[in-house]
Amino acid sequence: MSAEQRLSRSYWRLWWATGVNGVGDGAFAVAVPLLAVTVTRDPRLVSLVSAATYLPWLLLSLPAGALVDRHDRVALMWRAQAIQALIVAGIAILAAFGRIGIPVLAITAFGLGACAVVFGNAAQAVLPDIVPEPLLHQANGYQQAITTAGAQFAGPPLGSLLFAVAVALPFGVDAASFALSAALLATLPRRGRERTKPPPMRTAIADGLRRLIRHQLLRTLAVLLGVNTFCFHLGNVSLVLLATQTLRLDTRGYGLLLAGAAIGSLLSGLVSARLVATTGELPTLLAALVTNVIVFVGIGLSPDAIVLGALLAANGFVTTLWSIVTVSLRQRIVPSELLGRVNSVYRMLGWGLIPLGALAGGLVAHTFGLRAPYPVAGVLRGIALLAALPVLIRAVRR
């Protein structure tokens, strides 16, 4: 392999920053629902926190994409992480003094989500600046693997163990991870935006919208992502209650369940480039989507924690595969100067329904029981896939 075909040092600094932040995020992700259920057992109130985390993707994604295309992407990334470090440090202090509640959790979750919108759009747009196009699948796969290793494998058991020792500890770890990630990101090389006067914000956003809407495959994938993420959170919002109340797992068991499920995502990140090279992007995508439907129905019917963990691992594998393929596809076919805006539209459509999915999951669980959300979500995903199938099949044939 020639020097031009190797991932650069800049990429590996980004990779380390992603891994460090992932461990903190994993600890945070498992600690928040555990903290929420110490305040209330009502699934509707627990779902409010999840909804608040993702609401910024609906409200702020479009202007964030325009900012990413007109400002230094690296600076946006590390500054967003630094602000997140301050927010989570505040949660740790409040939790230590027992001053936390559902409203405070929801407000801070919204603040973290707003920073995540900026960071997420900038991170996907900056990768083609430091990675050659032939290596995008590999780079995205490694990014997903280290994210999974930290956020789903190492972080959750660490978070549950720290939570058992002291409520504030996992939040302190996440704040430190944000700070260290920001320091690593600040060392990345900068690629300045063009010095010409940028178009008005409204015009810039409209350009991104037009680019996505006129591309049939990207448009279909964005809508399909919206339905799938709605369904994922419809099911997932009650997972902590399903595990701890129905299947009688303690906090450590819940963390281990999530860590076991992360094995599937980690494996997918490592082998995705080979799978795509063997079978092609879109056939891989179709197989992942079909598997997701089957797995979601099965999760709600799980008789014990072992079956639930195995199905969550399968879900992690195919969900990660979907993410790597679609991210690489956008990075390859969308020009760099438009990538931030197209990503922002794509992710607004894809993630904007997450708050509604979380709220719907809370209502379904409250009305029909804790097992109901996953099968309902699986059926909805199947219907959406059938509707999108003609476009996907035409794309495969081309």
Side-chain angles (χ1 to χ4, degrees):
M1 182 178 288
S2 65
E4 290 77 17
Q5 294 176 312
R6 293 176 185 155
L7 295 170
S8 66
R9 292 181 180 180
S10 296
Y11 170 78
W12 289 113
R13 285 201 294 272
L14 175 63
W15 185 85
W16 276 109
T18 303
V20 168
N21 181 48
V23 173
D25 277 353
F28 181 85
V30 78
V32 166
L34 291 174
L35 179 58
V37 297
T38 65
V39 178
T40 178
R41 295 284 178 172
D42 189 332
R44 293 169 297 180
L45 294 178
V46 174
S47 69
L48 283 175
V49 179
S50 179
T53 302
Y54 292 99
L55 186 59
W57 286 100
L58 180 62
L59 301 181
L60 304 177
S61 187
L62 293 182
L67 288 175
V68 166
D69 281 343
R70 67 175 64 196
H71 294 292
D72 180 3
R73 291 165 177 172
V74 171
L76 289 173
M77 290 167 65
W78 76 257
R79 288 169 183 170
Q81 297 264 276
I83 295 172
Q84 286 175 309
L86 295 175
I87 293 174
V88 179
I91 296 176
I93 294 170
L94 291 172
F97 288 96
R99 306 292 294 180
I100 204 79
I102 295 297
V104 173
L105 275 177
I107 292 170
T108 53
F110 183 88
L112 287 170
C115 293
V117 170
V118 175
F119 177 84
N121 279 321
Q124 287 193 358
V126 82
L127 198 64
D129 292 343
I130 59 177
V131 173
E133 183 179 308
L135 297 182
L136 281 176
H137 278 296
Q138 183 183 21
N140 282 310
Y142 287 168
Q143 283 290 98
Q144 191 65 49
I146 193 62
T147 298
T148 300
Q152 298 183 38
F153 192 78
L158 176 64
S160 60
L161 289 172
L162 292 175
F163 189 89
V165 175
V167 172
L169 277 179
F171 301 104
V173 168
D174 192 32
S177 74
F178 275 130
L180 182 54
S181 176
L184 286 169
L185 291 170
T187 68
L188 292 178
R190 310 296 176 87
R191 179 178 174 181
R193 301 294 99 193
E194 293 184 4
R195 295 292 184 181
T196 56
K197 182 179 179 180
M201 184 70 75
R202 182 178 298 179
T203 302
I205 291 172
D207 288 342
L209 280 167
R210 279 194 296 270
R211 182 78 182 201
L212 181 68
I213 291 172
R214 290 174 180 174
H215 197 291
Q216 187 184 45
L217 179 59
L218 289 183
R219 182 178 71 241
T220 301
L221 291 175
V223 174
L224 192 57
L225 176 64
V227 176
N228 287 346
T229 52
F230 172 89
C231 292
F232 177 84
H233 286 268
L234 189 157
N236 200 59
V237 73
S238 62
L239 180 61
V240 63
L241 297 174
L242 175 64
T244 58
Q245 293 186 20
T246 303
L247 300 181
R248 304 298 181 185
L249 293 178
D250 59 15
T251 56
R252 289 180 178 86
Y254 176 65
L256 291 173
L257 178 72
L258 297 182
I263 294 175
S265 296
L266 179 60
L267 180 62
S268 181
L270 295 174
V271 305
S272 61
R274 292 183 181 179
L275 283 176
V276 170
T278 302
T279 62
E281 283 183 326
L282 293 172
T284 302
L285 200 62
L286 279 172
L289 291 168
V290 172
T291 305
N292 262 144
V293 173
I294 298 170
V295 166
F296 256 58
V297 174
I299 288 175
L301 306 176
S302 301
D304 53 47
I306 295 175
V307 174
L308 176 60
L311 289 171
L312 288 173
N315 181 66
F317 185 93
V318 293
T319 299
T320 298
L321 200 56
W322 151 277
S323 178
I324 292 169
V325 171
T326 54
V327 169
S328 301
L329 185 68
R330 293 198 307 277
Q331 290 168 341
R332 195 179 69 252
I333 67 178
V334 178
S336 177
E337 65 274 11
L338 278 170
L339 190 53
R341 281 167 284 174
V342 172
N343 275 337
S344 72
V345 179
Y346 187 96
R347 300 183 83 176
M348 183 197 72
L349 293 173
W351 292 32
L353 294 179
I354 287 177
L356 296 179
L359 293 175
L363 291 173
V364 170
H366 178 77
T367 305
F368 300 105
L370 296 177
R371 289 187 177 275
Y374 270 107
V376 170
V379 171
L380 292 176
R381 291 185 76 148
I383 294 171
L385 177 57
L386 288 174
L389 206 54
V391 173
L392 297 178
I393 290 175
R394 282 198 299 270
V396 170
R397 290 174 177 170
R398 287 198 299 268

